[in-house]
Amino acid sequence: MPEKKMDLHRKKDGFNGQKAIVLPTKIIKSCENSPLINHLFITDIGFYPKAQFHYRERLTGISQHILIYCADGKGWFQLNNKEAEIKQGQYFIIPANMAHKYGSDESNSWSIYWLHFKGCSADHFTHLLSKQKTQFSGNVNFSDERIRLFNNMYATLENGYSADNLGYINMCLWHFLSSFCYPDIFYVPINKKEKDAIDISIDFMQQNLHQPLTLQELAEEVHISASHYSALFRKKTGYSPLEYFNHIKIQKACQYLQFTKLRVKEIAYKMGINDPFYFSRFFSNMMGQSPLEYRNRKQ
């Protein structure tokens, strides 16, 4: 594979239609401490379409396991000093703490769905997917159901880190990984539900991240008294409305830091915060690192 060319042209990220979520440190710790989901849980998730010059190299690996599914185009990966090509309809798995490299083909850029995961059972999935660490890639037929499941996990996380959301997406993670372990018997039923007042309120939050909304304003939007609204919101999500709103703001701020060149001051304004120093403290408290440290990290 043409690694030297990849080195010359590599860039961080910046692909039209890209999306990614990195869970805050505090949320990851809550997953580790939850008997319900500590066996298997997502720490990072995203989609990079037509990711030309996408490249990653980690000399000592990372603490999470990584699954990358190529939906279009092609690329390559290197593990145990062996390099392999990845084409449309193939996936590869990278065990935690294993040195690795991977990248997109320069002439036929890949489109990839990817996630990082941890947990007590994560090693077992990785062993299964990597054939006991002897074969790190495999083939799967394209499935609309698999993509819908991935998008559902992503969309649920976009709506915040409530206990219900985390429980749901990490239970879905078992199903999603099983689609690669047992592709021939994979099937995803589709269930739809009507939105209640809290769902509508969360949609409103998403559409108004640039506003410093108050509890009273949020309650009025769904025509519920502030005290009743707050109780309903906490019962459903496990968080107060404003705490939940802050989670969503930080999630969006992370995306601006990762995918744009906006200054921290500009991102703060987009989150409805006029004091960039307050925003930096707020961000650091939530994510465990400053905005600039987050921007300079490798995904």
Side-chain angles (χ1 to χ4, degrees):
M1 295 294 168
E3 280 190 50
K4 291 184 178 179
K5 285 188 178 180
M6 193 67 67
D7 285 340
L8 290 173
H9 295 293
R10 104 179 49 160
K11 62 178 182 178
K12 187 175 181 182
D13 286 312
F15 321 113
N16 291 332
Q18 66 195 353
K19 55 185 182 180
I21 292 174
V22 179
L23 270 65
T25 302
K26 289 182 179 179
I27 302 302
I28 292 174
K29 287 182 179 178
S30 74
C31 292
E32 292 173 339
N33 293 327
S34 169
L36 180 66
I37 59 177
N38 63 6
H39 282 268
L40 190 70
F41 59 91
I42 291 170
T43 65
D44 309 60
I45 185 171
F47 171 63
Y48 293 160
K50 292 297 180 183
Q52 190 177 30
F53 306 133
H54 180 221
Y55 175 87
R56 289 288 181 268
E57 177 179 359
R58 301 179 177 98
L59 298 179
T60 58
I62 57 174
S63 62
Q64 306 97 20
H65 305 271
I66 304 172
L67 175 72
I68 295 179
Y69 171 52
C70 181
D72 190 30
K74 62 181 180 179
W76 58 273
F77 73 96
Q78 185 182 97
L79 285 171
N80 289 338
N81 296 317
K82 294 182 180 180
E83 198 166 293
E85 188 176 65
I86 289 293
K87 298 180 180 179
Q88 179 182 9
Q90 294 183 314
Y91 71 89
F92 63 100
I93 187 80
I94 300 174
N97 303 310
M98 182 177 287
H100 59 268
K101 301 177 184 179
Y102 57 82
S104 179
D105 183 81
E106 292 189 20
S107 60
N108 186 14
S109 304
W110 65 13
S111 295
I112 55 171
Y113 293 86
W114 56 267
L115 55 80
H116 299 191
F117 61 96
K118 297 179 71 173
C120 305
S121 297
D123 283 343
H124 299 293
F125 271 98
T126 300
H127 276 280
L128 182 60
L129 288 166
S130 65
K131 309 297 188 293
Q132 315 305 320
K133 295 187 178 181
T134 62
Q135 182 179 331
F136 297 94
S137 62
N139 298 291
V140 289
N141 292 327
F142 179 82
S143 166
D144 286 328
E145 288 79 11
R146 180 183 294 111
I147 301 304
R148 278 196 289 267
L149 181 58
F150 181 95
N151 288 336
N152 185 242
M153 290 190 294
Y154 187 92
T156 301
L157 273 180
E158 275 195 315
N159 281 329
Y161 310 119
S162 69
D164 286 351
N165 284 0
L166 291 172
Y168 175 75
I169 66 106
N170 287 307
M171 289 181 184
C172 287
L173 177 60
W174 290 78
H175 196 186
F176 182 73
L177 292 180
S178 74
S179 78
F180 295 93
C181 297
Y182 312 107
D184 293 335
I185 57 176
F186 172 61
Y187 172 75
V188 179
I190 302 174
N191 295 308
K192 296 182 179 180
K193 65 175 184 178
E194 294 183 1
K195 291 187 175 182
D196 61 18
I198 303 307
D199 295 323
I200 294 170
S201 180
I202 291 171
D203 286 344
F204 180 71
M205 291 178 182
Q206 291 278 9
Q207 296 162 14
N208 291 275
L209 294 176
H210 60 290
Q211 300 284 354
L213 296 175
T214 65
L215 175 63
Q216 187 64 38
E217 289 171 327
L218 290 168
E220 288 177 355
E221 183 63 24
V222 289
H223 311 292
I224 302 175
S225 71
S227 59
H228 187 45
Y229 166 74
S230 187
L232 288 175
F233 201 102
R234 185 176 290 276
K235 182 178 180 181
K236 179 163 184 174
T237 70
Y239 296 95
S240 71
L242 294 181
E243 187 177 10
Y244 203 92
F245 191 34
N246 287 338
H247 282 164
I248 300 174
K249 280 178 178 281
I250 290 298
Q251 183 182 102
K252 188 64 176 179
C254 286
Q255 293 171 355
Y256 279 128
L257 287 165
Q258 185 175 357
F259 296 137
T260 76
K261 294 182 179 180
L262 290 173
R263 293 178 298 171
V264 171
K265 181 178 180 180
E266 294 172 310
I267 296 172
Y269 291 159
K270 283 183 174 291
M271 297 300 101
I273 300 173
N274 293 324
D275 183 347
F277 297 104
Y278 172 78
F279 170 75
S280 292
R281 292 194 300 272
F282 174 53
F283 186 97
S284 297
N285 184 57
M286 182 75 71
M287 295 300 296
Q289 55 189 323
S290 72
L292 290 179
E293 288 172 334
Y294 181 88
R295 170 166 273 167
N296 293 328
R297 73 194 287 272
K298 286 288 186 180
Q299 305 284 344

